[in-house]
Amino acid sequence: MSNNKPLGQALREQGVSRRGFLKFCATTASLMALPPSMVPAIAKALESARRPSVIWLSFQECTGCTESLTRSHAPTLEGLIFDNISLDYHHTLQAASGDAAEAAREAAMEENKGNYLLVVDGSIPLGNPGYSTIAGISNLEMLKEVAEHAAAIIAVGTCAAYGGLPHANPNPTGAVSVEEIIKDKPIVNVPGCPPIPVVITGVLAHFLTFGKLPELDHLGRPLAFYGNNIHDRCYRRPFYDKGLFANTFDDEGARKGWCLFKLGCKGPVTYNACATIKWNDGTSFPIEAGHGCLGCSEPNFWDMGGFYNALSESTMNLSRTAAVGIAVGAAAGTASGLLNRRKKSKAEAAHETVSVKDLQREDKS
Amino acid sequence: MNSAEFLLWVRGPGLNIALVIFTIGMLIRLLEIFMLGRKQNLAELRANGVSAGLRTIFTRSTPADKNSMRRSMFTFVAGYGFHIGLFVVIFLLTPHIQLIQSLLGFGWPALPTPVVDLFTVIALISLMALLWRRLTHPVVRYLSTPQDYLVWAATFLPLLTGYMSYHHLWFPYSWLLGVHILSVEFLLILFPFTKLTHAFTLFISRWYTGMMAGEKGVAS
Amino acid sequence: MNSMQNSLKVEIGGYHTGNIPPLLHEIRHALRNLLDNGETTTIDLRSLPMAPGEQQQLLDILGKGEISVHLDALGKSEITESIYAGVWLIIHYNNNGEVMGKFIEITRVPAILKAQTADMEESLAALQMRLEEI
């Protein structure tokens, strides 16, 4: 199934010229967000790289991540990335189904034991194994089985990386991320709803080129793509600093392209490559289209307190809380004040006039 | 707990708990003061105390006389620097106004972020200078209680973490923002139970002082 | 479409990330470096945040010079010398005509234009075979 020729040789056999290979290396470097000066090193590494076997498991997901990947404008997905990785199991894309598909997965696992790459999209339900199954096997069971002999795991999409939409409050299926189940394997999180296509292929390309996983941030994301803050890289940032904001989606500020912070933009807490790589062949990204960032590459982005509420606002109804506080405080304060007054008037009432006579009488007794 | 879960907690339950404690605590404090009552004034009023009371609320914010100002120049500069800085940072930064607007239903224009940033630095430097004085001046040091240091830290932390989050210093922004909000919640909870209440009671006592002096026909 | 454009007054332009002047400085330094030390530089345009219209602004400043080359290897590529000799714009497309990478290269001749040793060796063998057939 996976022919194990070095990539350079495989490409030449496909009739790809050295020029084509150089172009491939240059765009791969760009894809991995590596500086162009790395191209010779990448060319050298790719020349002898062997294509890894990839098993792709889809759990509680919407197939949006696969949609994103198949539209990636990497050196054409089918043409190169899939030629250069051996996608041995992907139940949405593969022709085989049922027993044949599961047999393919088991064969790939056996053949490449300890060396295959596991890609997961979708979260795993822990509430009831029956919530999501493939060929009668629960997601949890299949993940554990395939992960056991995987070289590394790539969690594609926010669902696989952090639980995503299924994990959103109240999380009816008890959905969790891959890293909450698998603790003993290197895991790369490639979050996003969906992730930027070239980011998915970029991570695959990194593994293909260097045979190891890229450097990660504190949430397990590759720093090359998730190292920068949307807010810091946003071309609308100068408007934030000047205090120029759009207050509605159709006011003067919105038309002039001012900052969308007040309209709920989560850019300040979102780390992703949207502001530089952009979407649809580098055409645009949500903020450029006039809508705030939803923060889709961050954990719990569905529960961030409303897409259209500013980041500095509470995720709960603060006014109601304040009203309760005021009501209770007013009652308690009044009660305490009245109690103090009663004490005071009691003390006043208990006050007796003392005369010299009284004191003398006391002396005698 | 990751940074997002932490941020979610401080923006939601954390902030609400702090706000409830703050409003209940402050209302009890203030109502107790208001309901305390004063002894009936049996003397004939020389003038209406209201205008004098109102005036005193503001005049006490300006330096009393050149002499005492010169004698305590340090406290004067650092004190004003800190209080003005704190006021600007709390009430004139866009995200803060946005929070207040979500709470009260109305807002006001903000200052440009770099200007607020400057005031943050002024407030931070002033606070550090005041702490240094508290630690080195023998009399002030003798008079200081643990609460003074606690309150200093509770005020300093929100400023510092806010400054760090804006400039993305040392830690991921999401964590910094979460810690910043948490430090404000800590401040809010401490507020009714420490000398921080002076932010409210100050104006009440100024009013009383000014009003009583006014009724007696003397300047306060 | 026209009426819609008239009713929707959306202002574009006027955005500045402020990235163009430093980028032009970087190109100037790179050109100096090429002249003095013979070192070439490549700048990946995808790694820089650009406001809408800013990239076009940059390309307009660089302009089109004397040479324009089309390459066909794993999709098309456009290699254009700017009006500044030694400053090249390279755009790689894939087979679907989508942009895969945009680079500015400061060099005498972009490396990808030179015939590659491996390709020449293969060509030599192919030519040899062709000659034997005759």
Short mmCIF file of all heavy atoms in Angstrom, two decimals, chain C residues 19-44:
data_model
loop_
_atom_site.label_atom_id
_atom_site.label_comp_id
_atom_site.label_asym_id
_atom_site.label_seq_id
_atom_site.Cartn_x
_atom_site.Cartn_y
_atom_site.Cartn_z
N ASN C 19 3.78 48.40 6.86
CA ASN C 19 4.80 47.39 6.52
C ASN C 19 5.53 47.68 5.22
O ASN C 19 6.57 47.08 4.96
CB ASN C 19 4.16 46.00 6.45
CG ASN C 19 4.00 45.40 7.83
OD1 ASN C 19 4.68 45.81 8.77
ND2 ASN C 19 3.09 44.46 7.97
N ILE C 20 4.99 48.58 4.38
CA ILE C 20 5.63 48.79 3.08
C ILE C 20 6.99 49.50 3.19
O ILE C 20 7.97 48.99 2.64
CB ILE C 20 4.66 49.53 2.11
CG1 ILE C 20 3.52 48.58 1.75
CG2 ILE C 20 5.39 49.99 0.85
CD1 ILE C 20 2.55 49.12 0.74
N PRO C 21 7.08 50.62 3.91
CA PRO C 21 8.40 51.27 3.98
C PRO C 21 9.51 50.36 4.53
O PRO C 21 10.59 50.28 3.93
CB PRO C 21 8.15 52.49 4.88
CG PRO C 21 6.69 52.75 4.76
CD PRO C 21 6.05 51.42 4.56
N PRO C 22 9.27 49.64 5.67
CA PRO C 22 10.35 48.76 6.13
C PRO C 22 10.71 47.68 5.13
O PRO C 22 11.88 47.31 4.99
CB PRO C 22 9.80 48.14 7.42
CG PRO C 22 8.49 48.74 7.68
CD PRO C 22 8.14 49.67 6.60
N LEU C 23 9.69 47.20 4.41
CA LEU C 23 9.94 46.16 3.42
C LEU C 23 10.82 46.70 2.30
O LEU C 23 11.76 46.03 1.85
CB LEU C 23 8.59 45.66 2.87
CG LEU C 23 8.64 44.40 2.02
CD1 LEU C 23 9.23 43.24 2.79
CD2 LEU C 23 7.24 44.03 1.56
N LEU C 24 10.53 47.93 1.87
CA LEU C 24 11.35 48.55 0.81
C LEU C 24 12.78 48.77 1.30
O LEU C 24 13.74 48.60 0.54
CB LEU C 24 10.72 49.87 0.35
CG LEU C 24 9.41 49.72 -0.44
CD1 LEU C 24 8.77 51.07 -0.69
CD2 LEU C 24 9.66 48.99 -1.77
N HIS C 25 12.90 49.12 2.58
CA HIS C 25 14.24 49.27 3.16
C HIS C 25 14.98 47.95 3.15
O HIS C 25 16.16 47.89 2.83
CB HIS C 25 14.15 49.80 4.60
CG HIS C 25 14.03 51.28 4.68
ND1 HIS C 25 15.09 52.12 4.39
CD2 HIS C 25 12.99 52.09 4.98
CE1 HIS C 25 14.70 53.38 4.53
NE2 HIS C 25 13.42 53.39 4.88
N GLU C 26 14.22 46.88 3.48
CA GLU C 26 14.84 45.55 3.51
C GLU C 26 15.34 45.18 2.10
O GLU C 26 16.43 44.64 1.95
CB GLU C 26 13.80 44.52 4.01
CG GLU C 26 14.41 43.18 4.34
CD GLU C 26 13.39 42.15 4.80
OE1 GLU C 26 12.28 42.57 5.21
OE2 GLU C 26 13.70 40.95 4.75
N ILE C 27 14.52 45.53 1.09
CA ILE C 27 14.91 45.24 -0.29
C ILE C 27 16.17 46.03 -0.66
O ILE C 27 17.10 45.51 -1.28
CB ILE C 27 13.74 45.55 -1.26
CG1 ILE C 27 12.57 44.59 -0.99
CG2 ILE C 27 14.19 45.47 -2.71
CD1 ILE C 27 11.28 44.94 -1.71
N ARG C 28 16.20 47.30 -0.22
CA ARG C 28 17.36 48.15 -0.53
C ARG C 28 18.63 47.57 0.11
O ARG C 28 19.67 47.46 -0.54
CB ARG C 28 17.12 49.57 0.01
CG ARG C 28 18.18 50.58 -0.38
CD ARG C 28 17.84 51.96 0.13
NE ARG C 28 17.84 52.03 1.59
CZ ARG C 28 18.93 52.22 2.33
NH1 ARG C 28 20.10 52.38 1.75
NH2 ARG C 28 18.86 52.26 3.63
N HIS C 29 18.51 47.15 1.37
CA HIS C 29 19.67 46.54 2.04
C HIS C 29 20.11 45.28 1.32
O HIS C 29 21.31 45.04 1.16
CB HIS C 29 19.32 46.20 3.50
CG HIS C 29 19.39 47.38 4.41
ND1 HIS C 29 20.58 47.97 4.76
CD2 HIS C 29 18.42 48.09 5.04
CE1 HIS C 29 20.34 49.00 5.57
NE2 HIS C 29 19.02 49.10 5.74
N ALA C 30 19.12 44.48 0.91
CA ALA C 30 19.42 43.22 0.24
C ALA C 30 20.15 43.48 -1.08
O ALA C 30 21.09 42.77 -1.45
CB ALA C 30 18.14 42.44 0.00
N LEU C 31 19.74 44.54 -1.79
CA LEU C 31 20.36 44.87 -3.07
C LEU C 31 21.80 45.33 -2.85
O LEU C 31 22.72 44.95 -3.58
CB LEU C 31 19.54 45.98 -3.76
CG LEU C 31 19.77 46.18 -5.26
CD1 LEU C 31 19.56 44.88 -6.01
CD2 LEU C 31 18.81 47.24 -5.80
N ARG C 32 22.00 46.13 -1.82
CA ARG C 32 23.34 46.58 -1.42
C ARG C 32 24.21 45.36 -1.13
O ARG C 32 25.34 45.23 -1.58
CB ARG C 32 23.18 47.46 -0.17
CG ARG C 32 24.42 48.03 0.45
CD ARG C 32 24.83 49.31 -0.23
NE ARG C 32 25.93 49.04 -1.15
CZ ARG C 32 26.35 49.89 -2.07
NH1 ARG C 32 25.75 51.07 -2.23
NH2 ARG C 32 27.35 49.59 -2.85
N ASN C 33 23.63 44.43 -0.36
CA ASN C 33 24.34 43.21 0.04
C ASN C 33 24.69 42.36 -1.18
O ASN C 33 25.77 41.77 -1.24
CB ASN C 33 23.46 42.42 1.01
CG ASN C 33 24.24 41.37 1.77
OD1 ASN C 33 25.46 41.46 1.89
ND2 ASN C 33 23.53 40.39 2.29
N LEU C 34 23.78 42.33 -2.17
CA LEU C 34 24.03 41.56 -3.39
C LEU C 34 25.21 42.17 -4.15
O LEU C 34 26.10 41.46 -4.63
CB LEU C 34 22.77 41.57 -4.26
CG LEU C 34 22.87 40.85 -5.61
CD1 LEU C 34 23.12 39.37 -5.42
CD2 LEU C 34 21.60 41.05 -6.43
N LEU C 35 25.23 43.51 -4.22
CA LEU C 35 26.31 44.18 -4.94
C LEU C 35 27.65 44.02 -4.22
O LEU C 35 28.67 43.76 -4.85
CB LEU C 35 25.98 45.68 -5.08
CG LEU C 35 25.10 46.05 -6.27
CD1 LEU C 35 24.72 47.51 -6.20
CD2 LEU C 35 25.82 45.74 -7.59
N ASP C 36 27.63 44.18 -2.91
CA ASP C 36 28.89 44.15 -2.15
C ASP C 36 29.42 42.75 -1.92
O ASP C 36 30.61 42.50 -2.06
CB ASP C 36 28.69 44.85 -0.79
CG ASP C 36 28.45 46.33 -0.95
OD1 ASP C 36 28.61 46.82 -2.09
OD2 ASP C 36 28.08 47.00 0.03
N ASN C 37 28.53 41.85 -1.55
CA ASN C 37 28.99 40.51 -1.14
C ASN C 37 28.49 39.39 -2.04
O ASN C 37 28.82 38.23 -1.80
CB ASN C 37 28.54 40.22 0.30
CG ASN C 37 28.86 41.36 1.24
OD1 ASN C 37 29.97 41.89 1.20
ND2 ASN C 37 27.90 41.76 2.05
N GLY C 38 27.66 39.71 -3.00
CA GLY C 38 27.14 38.69 -3.89
C GLY C 38 26.12 37.77 -3.23
O GLY C 38 25.83 36.69 -3.73
N GLU C 39 25.56 38.20 -2.06
CA GLU C 39 24.60 37.34 -1.37
C GLU C 39 23.18 37.64 -1.83
O GLU C 39 22.79 38.79 -1.98
CB GLU C 39 24.68 37.58 0.15
CG GLU C 39 25.87 36.89 0.78
CD GLU C 39 26.07 37.28 2.23
OE1 GLU C 39 25.10 37.74 2.86
OE2 GLU C 39 27.20 37.13 2.72
N THR C 40 22.41 36.58 -2.05
CA THR C 40 21.03 36.75 -2.49
C THR C 40 20.07 36.67 -1.30
O THR C 40 20.40 36.08 -0.28
CB THR C 40 20.63 35.68 -3.52
OG1 THR C 40 20.65 34.42 -2.86
CG2 THR C 40 21.57 35.66 -4.70
N THR C 41 18.92 37.29 -1.46
CA THR C 41 17.92 37.31 -0.39
C THR C 41 16.55 36.94 -0.95
O THR C 41 16.23 37.33 -2.08
CB THR C 41 17.82 38.72 0.22
OG1 THR C 41 19.12 39.16 0.57
CG2 THR C 41 16.92 38.74 1.45
N THR C 42 15.78 36.20 -0.20
CA THR C 42 14.40 35.91 -0.59
C THR C 42 13.46 36.35 0.52
O THR C 42 13.73 36.09 1.69
CB THR C 42 14.21 34.40 -0.85
OG1 THR C 42 15.23 33.96 -1.75
CG2 THR C 42 12.86 34.13 -1.47
N ILE C 43 12.40 37.04 0.14
CA ILE C 43 11.42 37.50 1.13
C ILE C 43 10.08 36.82 0.80
O ILE C 43 9.61 36.89 -0.33
CB ILE C 43 11.27 39.03 1.07
CG1 ILE C 43 12.60 39.71 1.41
CG2 ILE C 43 10.16 39.50 2.02
CD1 ILE C 43 12.66 41.18 1.03
N ASP C 44 9.51 36.17 1.79
CA ASP C 44 8.22 35.49 1.61
C ASP C 44 7.11 36.50 1.91
O ASP C 44 6.95 36.92 3.05
CB ASP C 44 8.14 34.30 2.57
CG ASP C 44 6.88 33.47 2.36
OD1 ASP C 44 6.00 33.92 1.58
OD2 ASP C 44 6.78 32.38 2.95
#
